[in-house]
Amino acid sequence: MAAFAANSLLCRAALRDAHIDPATFGAVRVTSGALVLALAMRVRARPTAVADWRAAAMLFAYVAAFSFAYLTLPAGTGALILFGAVQLTMFAVGLARGERFSPRGWAGLALAVAGFVVLVLPGVAAPPAAGAALMAVAGIAWGAYSLRGRGVPDPLAATASNFLRAMPLALALGLAFVGRAHADVAGVLLAIASGALTSGLGYVIWYAALRGLSALQAASVQLSVPVIAACAGTLWLDEAFTARLLAAVVAILGGIALVLTDRARKRG
């Protein structure tokens, strides 16, 4: 979870001070992650995973939307929108597969949605609408990517395969925005750190952890990410922890917690 929060901090730090443009950041992030994972696979000298182009497309969609969203969003706000959208995506998939909520679960879902509304309502403290929408897209993509990752037999091979197949898409995005491209040493290093460490190796750890976690546990542990990102953003990036953000954190995370405990009670 620290790696996920660090991705928000690294991306926001790179883009806020214009060290790099978002398309280049995304391209460097995916490429550095792919290279590190390819090296790890070569050292291990074991067969790669079966190609999963859907997972690779979801990974690319997440990285692209995430990068452009952090042009305008603070780290904590972005992480809250991201992981709130992740959880709502997982809940929606559960409903589509026939799962039903009790009144307690529906109340939690309503509270979480209300938290989103509070966060994005127009006003002085509201996040930019375009950035919030892009981060919601990133959350949907990451939620779908996480669902596909549950049960993969070889987390390293699966993550390496996904990064390798997402790399040409990320490079194409960089070329599409080449007219606006810029980067200094700090920006490139932040993108490499995000790709090689907190994304590439971090996602291997996440895929491995998913094998030993129930869907409820996997959803629950991710609730810590927005809090970590918001606190670290306040300390490292001097971002304000506003009353609106606090209210949204309480509503979104509290609502999601109600849904999760409701599902846990049903299974217990």
Side-chain angles (χ1 to χ4, degrees):
M1 297 307 99
F4 291 164
N7 271 326
S8 291
L9 297 168
L10 291 168
C11 186
R12 181 57 180 158
L15 298 177
R16 184 190 66 173
D17 297 325
H19 291 299
I20 194 170
D21 66 282
T24 303
F25 183 94
V28 174
R29 179 182 176 186
V30 173
T31 300
S32 58
L35 292 175
V36 167
L37 292 169
L39 178 61
M41 287 296 298
R42 186 174 181 83
V43 170
R44 195 179 67 167
R46 285 175 57 184
T48 59
V50 175
D52 187 347
W53 282 101
R54 287 186 181 181
M58 293 168 190
L59 176 62
F60 165 72
Y62 153 73
V63 170
F66 180 95
S67 299
F68 279 89
Y70 268 129
L71 270 174
T72 55
L73 294 179
T77 300
L80 181 60
I81 295 172
L82 174 70
F83 284 95
V86 168
Q87 302 307 321
L88 293 177
T89 298
M90 290 182 169
F91 297 158
V93 170
L95 288 171
R97 291 176 177 174
E99 185 175 344
R100 292 295 176 262
F101 294 159
S102 71
R104 177 192 179 100
W106 282 112
L109 186 61
L111 181 60
V113 172
F116 266 106
V117 173
V118 167
L119 184 62
V120 301
L121 273 178
V124 174
L134 282 169
M135 193 59 83
V137 170
I140 293 169
W142 180 254
Y145 182 78
S146 293
L147 287 170
R148 288 190 72 84
R150 294 190 67 233
V152 295
D154 190 335
L156 174 58
T159 308
S161 175
N162 294 338
F163 266 79
L164 181 64
R165 285 165 177 78
M167 185 170 67
L169 299 174
L171 293 174
L173 178 67
L175 288 175
F177 287 88
V178 69
R180 303 179 185 178
H182 65 273
D184 59 22
V185 173
V188 172
L189 290 177
L190 288 168
I192 291 174
S194 178
L197 300 177
T198 57
S199 293
L201 297 181
Y203 295 173
V204 171
I205 296 170
W206 176 237
Y207 259 27
L210 284 171
R211 299 171 63 188
L213 296 174
S214 69
L216 284 172
Q217 290 170 327
S220 298
V221 296
Q222 292 184 84
L223 298 182
S224 64
V225 176
V227 178
I228 295 171
C231 293
T234 300
L235 295 173
W236 183 28
L237 302 176
D238 295 323
E239 294 179 347
F241 198 101
T242 64
R244 182 191 287 238
L245 179 57
L246 177 60
V249 166
V250 172
I252 293 173
L253 301 191
I256 290 171
L258 281 175
V259 176
L260 293 176
T261 55
D262 175 60
R263 292 167 72 179
R265 285 172 57 194
K266 287 182 180 179
R267 296 184 182 185

